[in-house]
Each structure stands twice: as structure tokens, then as C-alpha cells.
Amino acid sequence: MPDMQGLVNELIDKLKKRRVKGSLETPLQTAELLRSVISVQKLPPTNKAAALINAVRDVGEKLIAANPVELSVGNVIRRVLHIIREEDLSPSSDEAGDNEEEITWLRDNTAPYVAEIIRPPLLHMLHTFSSAEEKSKSYIFGRSRKLKHDVIEAINMLIEDVNICYELIAEQAVEHIHHNETILTLGWSRTVLEFLLAAKDKKRSFHVFVAEGAPRCHGHALAQELVGRGLKTTVIADASVFAMISRVNMVIVGVHAVMANGGVIAPVGMDMVALAAQKFAVPVVVVAGIHKLRPLYPENPEVSLNDMRSPSELLELGKFSDCMDFGSVDGAPLVHVANPVFDYVPPELVSLVITDIGGHKPSYIYRLIADYYSSQDYVRYGRDALFKL
């Protein structure tokens, strides 16, 4: 049997030290850990689903606290909680058959004791009730195993969905990218890369402008991948987006999360790009897997969490040593450097959200969230209420 606490602590340590991150590895490792937690969980005779939910919540709180800005961790935890609730409320035909057999067995074996004219020996009654208790225990154990089995199978499907989301999204590229178009994107996104390459493989010829996504400039890596696959690509500075946007037919971007109102949390600089696109009536298309849907609204306290990176990405500290001197009267530095990672883009700036189950308007996202999450697991009153019923 695996050391479950050791596995949990290992993933917590990875999240704290940022050794696991990204829209693929983070949800996959979270789902695999929860699958292991459920597989070793011993269920009580009653309230089996509640026991699984509590076990997932206990682990989930620790994982989310380890790195709150990795929103996909909370998404996967809520998906698993929804799976448990769904499997508990939707018994299979096998379980229904077991119920019928149990009712028949109880009727046949308890009839002698409800009939007033039959009074069997006490020893016979004890033997019969002992058999009933054993059968009841066997039935309860069977149902526990059945619930765990169904939940684990559903988590396996979730893991498979995360693994193939890029391919499912890329299959839709030919419906949105046409011949001789000009596409603009920002920074690095594997989903965008697969989407553009799928259109190219379908013999679409188009030009891609890649905003570099300063200060990390991950757009250079995306441009290199596209050029290596034979796509005509131009890297532009973020500041030149407004000057170039009038030549663009469509903006296609990958995001960190899609909120319940259809807004998105995207790489920093994306709000500027979306505002420029709105000015010139250029559609903004977001590509994101279902596991990035976040059942929260922008006004929720968790949404304000941003990943603030080191000032060294923006300036060389040696050249600003005088400004960073703590010798001022109040002991504070003269220069404060803010280096956020994400922007929030409101839904009115987003034209379409393409997921692995199809394209949807931002106004429809809340309906998708209702299909994949349970309202009991939404955050309503801050982070402390994350897993309260």
C-alpha cells in the first residue's frame, strides 16, 4: 500500500517550490493524487460518499494552500467532488439488481417472523438473523467497492480528457482559421501552438503576429516553434500591438483560467491586446480546456490573487542600487517594482471561448460550469469557505 501521506506531502512540496506548474502537469498530478487517495480510503457502512468527499476536501485544502495561484488545482478538486456526488446519486443497473435481490431475500427470510401463526425455535431465529447480518455486511462492502470503482473510473476519464484536450481543441482550428488570414497571439501557449499547427496541416496559409509577452518574452519560443513548422511568423513588441492590430483578422490566445462570467485570466498584457482589438472590431478567440473553467466570479476574493514575480525580470538591480537603498528616513526603498503575471480580461472583450467540447460564447460559460461542478463546492465567502457545504 502506498504511503499516502508521503505522496500528499510530495505534491505539496512541489507546488510550494514551483516544481510543478502549467495547465497540463498540474491538473494531471492533482487528479492522480486524488485517485490514489480515494483508492485507499476505507468507507463506513453509511454515508460512503460523504466519507470520500471529506477525504478529498482534507487533501484539497492543503494542495490549494500550497500554491493558490495554480487555479487548476482547485478546478480538479471541485471536479472530483462533483464526480463523487454524481456517482452517489446515480446508482447503476447492477446496484438496482442487488437491491431487488436483497428485498426478495429479506421478504423470504423475515416472513416467518411477521406471521403470527408461526413461532420457530429461538436457535433457528438466531441463525437466520446471523445470516441476514452477514449478507447485509457483504452488500454494504460491495456497494462501497462499487462506489469507489465508479469514482476512480470517472477520474480516469478526467485524466484522459486533460491529456487529449489539445488535440480536441486543435481539431476545430479549420473552422475558424481561413486562407490568407492574419492572426495575432501573445506569449507562449501550447494550446495556441497546436491550434495554429492544426490549421496549417489542413493546408491553410496564414500569417501569425506574435507579441513577445514582456518581460518574460515567451512569445519568442512560440515564434520559433511556428517558424520551425513552416508558418510565416513575425515577432512584435507588446507596445506595437495597437499599431498592428488593424492588419489582423483575429486574435487567438491561451489563458490561465476562464471565469464563471466568461471573463478570462490571461498572461499580463492581454487586456491591452483585447482593448486594441475591440477598438478595431477584431474578434478575440480564447482556446482553453474544460479543466480551466473556474466556478468563480471576478468579485470573489480568490480572483484577486496574482503571481508577483521577481523585480529582476524588469531591471538589473546593480544599476538601481541607489534607488533600492533602504537608507531613507522610514527605511523603505525608493523604487517599488510590480511584476504581475496575469491580467483579467472582462467577458465583453472576448468573442468566443473554444474548449475541447466546442466553441461557446462567454455568456454560456456559467451553463458549462453547472455541468462540471456542484454548487456546494463553489467559493462563496472567501477562501475559508472553499470546502464548506
Side-chain angles (χ1 to χ4, degrees), residues 266-308:
V268 67
M270 188 56 225
D271 189 52
M272 172 194 68
V273 174
L275 287 169
Q278 183 189 51
K279 180 71 174 180
F280 289 90
V282 175
V284 175
V285 176
V286 169
V287 289
I290 286 293
H291 63 278
K292 291 188 177 183
L293 297 187
R294 185 76 168 163
L296 303 177
Y297 287 86
E299 59 271 16
N300 191 277
E302 268 197 44
V303 178
S304 63
L305 293 173
N306 207 327
D307 195 3
M308 306 300 291

Side-chain angles (χ1 to χ4, degrees), residues 57-113:
R57 283 176 175 170
D58 291 341
V59 174
E61 289 176 343
K62 298 174 184 177
L63 295 179
I64 291 176
N67 190 352
V69 299
E70 280 292 350
L71 302 183
S72 59
V73 174
N75 293 349
V76 170
I77 293 167
R78 291 181 178 89
R79 284 285 298 275
V80 172
L81 291 173
H82 178 71
I83 286 171
I84 296 171
R85 299 181 195 278
E86 289 290 298
E87 294 297 337
D88 184 53
L89 294 175
S90 302
S92 65
S93 58
D94 291 339
E95 290 179 346
D98 289 342
N99 286 333
E100 293 177 1
E101 291 178 3
E102 184 186 25
I103 292 171
T104 302
W105 183 88
L106 290 174
R107 183 180 64 244
D108 294 342
N109 288 274
T110 59
Y113 311 112

